[in-house]
Structures are given as structure tokens and as C-alpha cells.
Amino acid sequence: MAARIQIAVAVLVRDGLVLLVHRHPSRRWYPDSWSFSAGGHVDPGESHHQAVIRECREELGIHIHDPVPIPMTISDPTLDVQAFLVTRWDGEPVNAAPEEHDDLRWFRPSDLTELKLAHPESLPTLLGAIQKGPQPQESCD
């Protein structure tokens, strides 16, 4: 079996709203669907944590702080996706990758069930993590 593709995804939350990006209809994977903020492949030698910081800079033009890993369930067996809850960043998110996304918007969590999502199976887990908020990380000492 081939190695799964490593993906890092940011779930940006501000004032109770969640930022989603709309994947361009010409995209090969999950076209014309909404997905959680910035995300993409983890480069060789890069951790998921480093990748989500880079992806937010490249796709949203922001510098994130303290991304907190949260569970994300997806049904695609070819992907290994690590999601991060992000509640602090510098800058205002913009669509810095128009070839990938054709829109970005803030949504109330209750509105997400009405959208065509790239990974709808992830919604219950991610909504639970959003509602709980960032949890203190254990020390690695």
C-alpha cells in the first residue's frame, strides 16, 4: 500500500465564526466545495505544525500563533490529515491563492451543515473541537 499523503489544515475561529474557503471549480480534488481555511501538503522534512503555519501564510496572508491539534475524521484512505484549531494570528485573512480558492467567508458553526463541504464527515468532530475551544497542550519536558 502506498504511503498516505500528509495534509495539514487550519480551522480559524474568531468571535464564534469559522473561516472557510471555497475551492475553485477547476480544482482537481474536491472542486466547487467549501473547506476549512488554509491547508495543503506537508513538504518533505516539514512537520504538520510547520506546514499549517506555512499554508496560512501562503493562502491567507497571515501569521498564525499557537495552532492546537484537533481530531479530524475523513473518509479518504489516501490522506493523513492533521487539523489545527487557530484562534490567534497577525493580519487579516485574504484570498492570497486565487488559483486555489475563489471565495472565503466567515460562517456561524450552525450554518456549516447547509454547505457542500470537501469533507462533510469531518464536521461533527471539528464542530465539537470548535465548541470546546483550544485546550492547554501537555508539556513535552
Side-chain angles (χ1 to χ4, degrees), residues 4-8 42 48 74 76-82:
R4 297 191 317 167
I5 300 166
Q6 302 295 306
I7 304 288
V42 177
H48 284 88
I74 61 164
D76 187 335
T78 66
L79 300 178
D80 178 13
V81 179
Q82 173 64 64

Side-chain angles (χ1 to χ4, degrees), residues 30 33-34 36 72-75 112-113 115-126:
Y30 310 104
S33 61
W34 290 93
F36 289 94
M72 182 169 176
T73 304
I74 61 164
S75 60
L112 301 183
T113 57
L115 301 175
K116 177 185 173 189
L117 296 173
H119 296 286
E121 69 277 13
S122 68
L123 194 55
T125 307
L126 291 174

Side-chain angles (χ1 to χ4, degrees), residues 7-83:
I7 304 288
V9 177
V11 179
L12 271 68
V13 177
R14 176 172 68 190
D15 300 328
L17 301 175
V18 182
L19 183 67
L20 270 65
V21 294
H22 189 262
R23 295 178 61 85
H24 200 281
S26 65
R27 295 294 309 240
R28 180 176 179 192
W29 303 107
Y30 310 104
D32 197 26
S33 61
W34 290 93
S35 64
F36 289 94
S37 301
H41 292 89
V42 177
D43 289 340
E46 187 178 52
S47 69
H48 284 88
H49 184 267
Q50 292 166 325
V52 78
I53 291 169
R54 176 183 50 75
E55 290 286 345
C56 284
R57 185 180 62 250
E58 291 174 358
E59 295 183 10
L60 300 174
I62 61 172
H63 177 75
I64 63 173
H65 301 281
D66 308 318
V68 177
I70 57 175
M72 182 169 176
T73 304
I74 61 164
S75 60
D76 187 335
T78 66
L79 300 178
D80 178 13
V81 179
Q82 173 64 64

